[in-house]
Amino acid sequence: MTLTEKDSQYLWHPYTQHKTAQLPIAITRGEGALLWDENNKEYIDAIASWWVNPFGHSNRFIADRIYKQLTTLEHVLFGGFTHEPAIKVAEQLMKLLPKNQQKIFFSDNGSTSVEVAIKVALQYFYNKGEKRTTIIAFEDAFHGDTFAAMAASGISFYTQAFQGMFIDVVRIPVPVKGKEQLSFDTLRKVIQEHDCAAFIFEPLVQGAAGMVMYEAEALDQLIQICRDNNVLTIADEVMTGFGKTGKTFAMDYCPNVPDMMCLSKALTGGTIPMAITTFTQEIFEAFYDEDINKALFHGHTFTANPTGCAAALASFELLQTPEMQANLVRINQRHLGFQEYIKKHSKVTTTRVLGTIFALEIKKEGEESYYGTMRTKLYNFFIENGIIIRPVGNIVYILPPYIITDEQLQKIYTVVEKAIEMV
Ligand SMILES: *Cc1c(COP(=O)(O)O)cnc(C)c1O
C-alpha cells in the first residue's frame, strides 16, 4: 500500500470533504524550497507550506538548535517555573516589536494567540468594571478556527454551522482603494452604537481572503479612531509577521501602534508549533492586582515549550542576517517585474504585491467560489507542473520561502502564466 492509500484508512484532513476531495500527496522529504513525494516527484513550495516556512525545509541551523535544546531541556511546565529560552525569546522579540509591546504570552498556534488576545480584551474591561463586550472585525477576515477566533472571522463557510453561538462581533468594510472613507465612517458608527472592547484586524494583507491588500495610511486612521474612543486594537500578524510584507511586521509600515499583537506561523521558522500574543504594559496592569480573580486564567500545557523557543530564537537570528534581508528585497523586485509583465494579460483583472507576497485575479465568468471549479482546475494544473499553490477561488497567490532561488521563482511565474492561459 502507498502512504496515500494508508492515509485514507486512518486520517481526517483539515478543510477537506473526504467524499469528493482528491487523495492527498504523501511528502517524504524537503530541502530549501523543494519537497518530494513518495514517488520522488519534485515540487516547489510556492506558498511556504501555508505561510510558515521562511528559511526552507529541513533547515540545518534551526534543526541543530532544536536538537541542542531537546538534549538540554525539552520541556518544563510554565506555571510557577520559567526558563532561559522563554526569557531570551521575550528579549529578542522586544527588539523587533513596536516599542509599546512589553509583555508576551505563549500558546501553541495562531488561533489560540487570537483567542488569548480577545479574552484579554474582554477581561481588560471587565476588570476595570466597564461593560464592553463587542469585538470589531473586518469583513472576510480570517483569525483562526477556535471559537472566539472563528467569531471574529468573516469567511462564511468556515463558520456557518455555528451561527448564533458566538461572542458579539460587528464587521466593518476593509479599507481597500476607494472604500477607505466607508470603512472609517462605519467604524465610528459601530463604536457609537455598541459597547466595543477591541478591533481585531489582519494588518495590510488579509491572507485567507486571497491576499486582499490595503494601505497603511488607512489602517493608521482606523487605529486612531479606536484610540480616540478607548477601543483596544489587536494586530493579527500570524500570517504577515517575520518579513512577509518586506518589513519584520506589517505594523512597521504604520505610525500608530496596536495594543496587542498575535504571532505564529513563521515564528519558529516553520518547525515547531508555537504562538505568542504580545501586550502593552498598560494592559498587563489591568490584570495585576491583590484580587486573584483579576488574573488571566488561561494557559496551555505546552506553553513556552523550550524547544519551540529555541527554534524561534534561531529563526530571529536567520531573519536578521544580511543575506535573508537581501532575499526579501530580491523576491519583492522579482514579483514587481512579473507584475509589470502579467498585468497586461487580457485574462488578468488585478495584481498586487507587498514584500514577498504576490497575488493576481483571473477573469471569471459568473461567481467563482472559494473551492469552486476554476480553483480545482488551477490547483491540479499547478500540482501536475510540480508547483504547490493553493488558489483562493480565482485568486492565485505566491508567498515563497525567502531562500527560493531566482530560477525556482521564474519557474513558478512561467507555470502561473500557463495556468492563466489554460483556464
Ligand atoms: C493562519 C492564521 C490564523 C490561525 O492560525 P492557526 O495556527 O492555523 O490556528 C490566524 N490568523 C491569521 C491571520 C492566519 O493567517
Side-chain angles (χ1 to χ4, degrees):
M1 263 211 273
T2 63
L3 289 174
T4 294
E5 283 159 354
K6 283 192 194 166
D7 174 282
S8 304
Q9 195 175 341
Y10 302 115
L11 295 173
W12 195 341
H13 285 260
Y15 310 120
T16 303
Q17 173 46 272
H18 279 273
K19 183 153 189 189
T20 51
Q22 294 158 275
L23 294 176
I25 296 162
I27 299 294
T28 52
R29 68 197 167 92
E31 195 184 319
L34 299 176
L35 293 166
W36 287 271
D37 72 13
E38 62 181 323
N39 303 312
N40 216 26
K41 178 171 170 168
E42 184 180 289
Y43 302 86
I44 301 175
D45 186 356
I47 54 167
S49 282
W50 268 346
W51 324 333
V52 301
N53 192 312
F55 313 120
H57 292 282
S58 313
N59 183 288
R60 286 306 297 260
F61 180 76
I62 304 176
D64 288 345
R65 292 290 189 84
I66 288 175
Y67 182 76
K68 195 153 171 255
Q69 188 60 48
L70 276 174
T71 47
T72 307
L73 174 69
E74 84 303 339
H75 185 65
V76 63
L77 70 166
F78 210 56
F81 294 85
T82 192
H83 51 76
E84 193 177 27
I87 293 163
K88 276 192 170 162
V89 164
E91 279 175 348
Q92 294 306 314
L93 206 49
M94 302 275 153
K95 291 182 194 160
L96 303 174
L97 288 167
K99 289 283 161 288
N100 72 335
Q101 298 300 297
Q102 297 285 316
K103 283 283 185 296
I104 76 169
F105 189 95
F106 286 95
S107 62
D108 311 328
N109 60 73
S111 303
T112 53
S113 74
V114 167
E115 211 71 22
V116 168
I118 290 177
K119 283 177 72 174
V120 163
L122 295 172
Q123 194 181 339
Y124 171 88
F125 288 107
Y126 176 85
N127 282 359
K128 287 178 171 260
E130 239 183 281
K131 189 185 172 296
R132 287 186 181 239
T133 53
T134 300
I135 302 294
I136 308 163
F138 277 140
E139 288 163 3
D140 290 332
F142 180 74
H143 297 292
D145 294 335
T146 54
F147 252 83
M150 223 187 353
S153 298
I155 302 174
S156 63
F157 66 84
Y158 283 93
T159 59
Q160 65 196 15
F162 311 100
Q163 287 308 324
M165 305 173 209
F166 290 135
I167 56 166
D168 294 334
V169 173
V170 286
R171 278 180 212 294
I172 65 168
V174 186
V176 291
K177 214 165 263 6
K179 288 245 185 99
E180 293 94 337
Q181 197 56 45
L182 178 64
S183 184
F184 306 154
D185 293 345
T186 313
L187 178 60
R188 284 201 191 88
K189 190 158 167 276
V190 159
I191 291 175
Q192 254 175 20
E193 291 175 357
H194 302 264
D195 300 319
C196 295
F199 168 41
I200 184 166
F201 52 87
E202 295 158 89
L204 307 192
V205 190
Q206 291 188 297
M211 302 296 159
V212 171
M213 296 182 189
Y214 61 94
E215 298 291 326
E217 293 75 52
L219 179 59
D220 199 54
Q221 278 257 26
L222 292 171
I223 294 176
Q224 188 60 48
I225 295 168
C226 289
R227 178 145 301 169
D228 294 344
N229 290 280
N230 196 23
V231 172
L232 297 173
T233 49
I234 304 167
D236 178 354
E237 294 239 18
V238 169
M239 188 283 281
T240 48
F242 303 104
K244 305 238 178 61
T245 64
K247 299 202 186 212
T248 305
F249 298 109
M251 288 313 300
D252 296 343
Y253 287 95
C254 196
N256 262 315
V257 287
D259 297 299
M260 301 180 227
M261 287 171 74
C262 303
L263 310 173
S264 189
K265 293 212 163 98
L267 172 63
T268 61
T271 57
I272 299 203
M274 198 170 86
I276 289 175
T277 315
T278 75
F279 308 94
T280 59
Q281 185 66 24
E282 205 244 317
I283 290 180
F284 179 76
E285 277 165 14
F287 293 72
Y288 190 79
D289 200 276
E290 299 291 337
D291 182 358
I292 190 165
N293 291 313
K294 290 200 170 171
L296 177 64
F297 279 99
H298 185 105
H300 298 281
T301 313
F302 276 97
T303 292
N305 172 254
T307 314
C309 290
L313 287 168
S315 298
F316 299 164
E317 250 182 71
L318 281 178
L319 180 63
Q320 289 171 85
T321 58
E323 297 79 19
M324 209 56 74
Q325 291 297 315
N327 281 334
L328 299 184
V329 176
R330 174 179 61 90
I331 294 171
N332 180 250
Q333 283 167 350
R334 304 279 302 181
H335 280 348
L336 290 172
F338 181 54
Q339 181 184 34
E340 263 321 293
Y341 168 75
I342 203 71
K343 74 181 186 193
K344 299 179 191 114
H345 197 291
S346 62
K347 283 168 90 175
V348 173
T349 53
T350 56
T351 58
R352 42 189 182 261
V353 173
L354 181 65
T356 66
I357 308 170
F358 171 91
L360 62 75
E361 291 186 46
I362 301 174
K363 196 180 269 178
K364 58 183 176 184
E365 328 261 297
E367 270 305 297
E368 176 60 29
S369 72
Y370 209 92
Y371 283 108
T373 50
M374 184 194 271
R375 189 258 174 209
T376 307
K377 253 176 109 173
L378 286 166
Y379 177 78
N380 290 343
F381 184 80
F382 290 128
I383 290 296
E384 271 162 38
N385 284 277
I387 310 275
I388 299 178
I389 286 184
R390 286 174 63 96
V392 176
N394 63 322
I395 299 168
V396 172
Y397 72 83
I398 306 168
L399 205 177
Y402 307 154
I403 47 70
I404 194 165
T405 65
D406 280 345
E407 293 69 34
Q408 289 163 342
L409 264 180
Q410 191 51 53
K411 178 163 180 210
I412 296 170
Y413 298 148
T414 306
V415 175
V416 166
E417 187 181 2
K418 281 192 195 144
I420 298 166
E421 302 285 340
M422 181 266 321
V423 288

